[in-house]
Amino acid sequence: MSACVPTHTSDPTHTKRVQPPHNPPPAPRRRFRIAGADVSASIAVFLIALPLSLGIALATGAPLQAGLVAAAVGGIVAGCIGGSPLQVSGPAAGLTVVTAELIQRYGWQTTCAVTVLAGCAQLGLGCLRVARTALAVSPAIVHGMLAGIGVTIAVAQLHIVLGGTPQSAVLDNLRALPAQLAALQPASVAVSALTLTLLLLWPRIPGRVGELLRTVPAALVAVAGATAVASLAGLTLPKVDLPSWRSHALAGLPEGPALGVAAAVLTITLVCSVQSLLGAVAVDKLIASRPGLIASPTGCSPRLGRSDLDRELLGQGAANIVSGALGGLPVAGVAVRSSANVRAGAVSRNSTMLHGVLVVVAALLMVPVLELIPLASLAALVMAVGIQMVSLHHIRTVTRHREVLVYAVTTLGVVFLGVLEGVSLGIAVAVAVALNRLTHTRITHDEQEGVHHVHVRGQLTFLAVPRLSRALHLVPQGTPVVVELDGSFMDHAAYEALQDWQKTHTAQGGTVELTGRRIAAGATPGTHTGARSGEPTAAPPADPTHTPGSTLTDCRCRPWTPWRNHQCEVPRPAGDTSTDSASPGTATASSRTSGSTATRPRSNDPGDTAARTTTPGTTIGGTASDGTAPSRSAPDGTAPGTALPGGSAPGAPEPSGHRLVRGISAFQRNTAPLVRGELARLAREGQQPTQLFLTCADSRLVTSMITSSGPGDLFVVRNVGNLVPPPGEESGDDSVGAAIEYAVDVLKVRSITVCGHSGCGAMQALLSSEPGGERTPLERWLRHGLPSLERMADDRGPGAGLAGRAPADAVEQLCLTNVVQQLDHLRAHESVARAQRAGALELHGLYFHVGEAQTYLLTETNGDGLFDHVGVADLRT
């Protein structure tokens, strides 16, 4: 035995060492605790779930207790096991049509058995880990399915609202509607109208009173108000009837044709799974808007990560097994209750489970109260839910993406044929539309002012090569040509055809300009070529003076693609063979003026296609891939030796004005066509940003890039040092205060972010400043950063820091401290303080390390703050 390994004796006389009294006692066993936020959120969700569960049970024709059973089981079982902690499960309106059809065809007990079998199928899918596959279904199909179910629900419940009884099919309900209107019951119509009125107006009560009243769910107010009026007025109406739980029917063995039962199981499994998984993704997006849930600053609640969709399937399957066995409706994730749970402040799955417990208590103890509710009120509530399932936002979205045909076919198929049949039709139409887009290409040719234009719309595949060749051969030899490629894919056959024609045409004295969202010479075929980061883009436009045979890849600076600080090639005088010694990705003057024999440094960026993939005859920097030195042209298309505009010599650096004009030209040519529609919408509707982003004026800090935002998303204020002058200071700068007031009081932004960065020149100036008079405008401005300097010098606190490492130097320490200090200055502004008191505004701190391209989020406000990584795992889809 090794001498370093201690031996233990089993001497029974050996006594354990008694712990000295001054040592800390052992940690107590962790107790189960429920956060107060979870308790309040569970109550809010319970108040919504109770009337909706009864209404959905009524709409399906199931026993009303079945809705309560499904709500309780969904909350407790799915909440405990599921992979989306804040998603609330229960009876869903999306399952109403399917369940009603099953009950009418096979009876209640067989429907419960089908629910159990569907739960088993969900368990199998969860074990196979195929949850992500369900998200591959086109959103147009999902939204169309929900819209069709919503129409079916609304038409059926309209009969109960009018005092009648709905039929089994939509067409039968529509045919019976005139007779129902002739024999409507005034009492039912009055109660239903009151329910809909309260449901519509309650969320729109203005002012502070309305804000306080809106804490009570509109669904509960509508049903409670209608019930109270009906009871006080003594109206004779059909009301909720909850038989004794002793007579409640449980699941039985399935009866009926095996094929029909199997189809029913497949339908329930499909609808439950897709709705639950899409709901989980939607809940992730809601959680992402609450940074306190992404990384809890207090540490009292666990950090909520992205939903585990496979586990969510397992939870939904277990809930359906239990619900079906206990005689409940099918269970799925419900968007209305889930969003209410997140917005009510829930921080863990305890809120979902507690809401299920409250449903059980209500089902056992509140039966006399529940039996006062008129059925017409519940029908009106469910009818409103059905109407809301036909979302105008979804219709606009699918129209914008040219998928309205898929949406319409799915909706009509669900309404007139059934859910499974409608979804199958939608999938078939979606596949047909995709194939049509892939194969249908429109190619036109025309001549304008001596320039020939060949316009290609659609995907450029081998099927379009004959038409492309015919159009290209209509172009006379030696003429300038513009080929506009408006699509996102080019296969190898089309690439070779275009490349061969381009070489032939330029060899005969013509010029070729490739524009649009397609690749130019030097890109590889068979790839998607949309104008996004990491993908090849069109070559710059040719100039009439462009030398035949010269390359079109001299300037690779394009929007939405990797750039090298605008390393646009400008010809040097002959014989200058100096090379750029800067590291890849670093811009220097020499890298922008490399000559015909200079070699551009190889890029390490996999997205720089021009640097890693070539074809014979194309160039990288100044050297052709075949080893020859091609003839060069300036970025604007001028031939070598031609004087640049403004008198610049061919070998001189490009004037900044020319670079600006070329950048604007590139925007107008490549980017403006892509964003024109969105900017036109913003011009009509006005700006509605969600966030005020206050950051430094440093040129290395690109706000739209590090936040992945676009036009209309951020209201940006930039200044030297990302400083926020406190309000009321003498000789202060009101421009920042005015921007804050405008953003909070006029634009109603929901969050303000102060973003600092590494290597900030303002912080360096603060550290090196000497006490004395304020002589220059910069020195007068930087006095607003002196509180940050004093805060960093204060030894009483731990100081601002980064998670995982200490600040690199005093400058980085001051940059971090400055973000925390400027947030304090923000809170001193009256408009900010007022919005925070109302719960309408959140403040965030960010730190961007330029060298690491890493963003850090201020996650702890204790002391002077801790900045933690924002990584790929923290993204919300």
Side-chain angles (χ1 to χ4, degrees), residues 829-861:
H829 284 261
E830 175 59 28
S831 56
V832 174
R834 184 171 58 251
Q836 279 198 298
R837 287 194 300 268
L841 184 65
E842 296 177 348
L843 302 185
H844 306 293
L846 285 183
Y847 174 72
F848 182 71
H849 195 290
V850 177
E852 298 174 357
Q854 175 64 55
T855 305
Y856 296 82
L857 175 68
L858 180 61
T859 57
E860 291 188 10
T861 56

Side-chain angles (χ1 to χ4, degrees), residues 586-609:
T586 304
T588 62
S590 61
S591 69
R592 289 190 294 268
T593 57
S594 54
S596 59
T597 59
T599 303
R600 184 175 182 266
R602 182 174 178 82
S603 172
N604 292 328
D605 188 343
D608 193 348
T609 310

Side-chain angles (χ1 to χ4, degrees), residues 695-703 718-722 755-762 764 848 850:
T695 188
C696 185
D698 194 293
S699 63
R700 299 167 296 178
L701 200 64
V702 185
T703 57
R718 306 187 69 152
N719 59 51
V720 175
N722 48 275
C755 180
H757 67 96
S758 62
C760 181
Q764 296 175 13
F848 182 71
V850 177

Side-chain angles (χ1 to χ4, degrees), residues 515-556:
T515 65
R517 293 178 289 174
R518 283 292 184 181
I519 58 177
T524 55
T527 57
H528 290 278
T529 55
R532 298 192 298 268
S533 178
E535 297 175 347
T537 53
D543 188 86
T545 61
H546 183 73
T547 302
S550 62
T551 65
L552 296 175
T553 56
D554 297 327
C555 179
R556 286 180 292 274

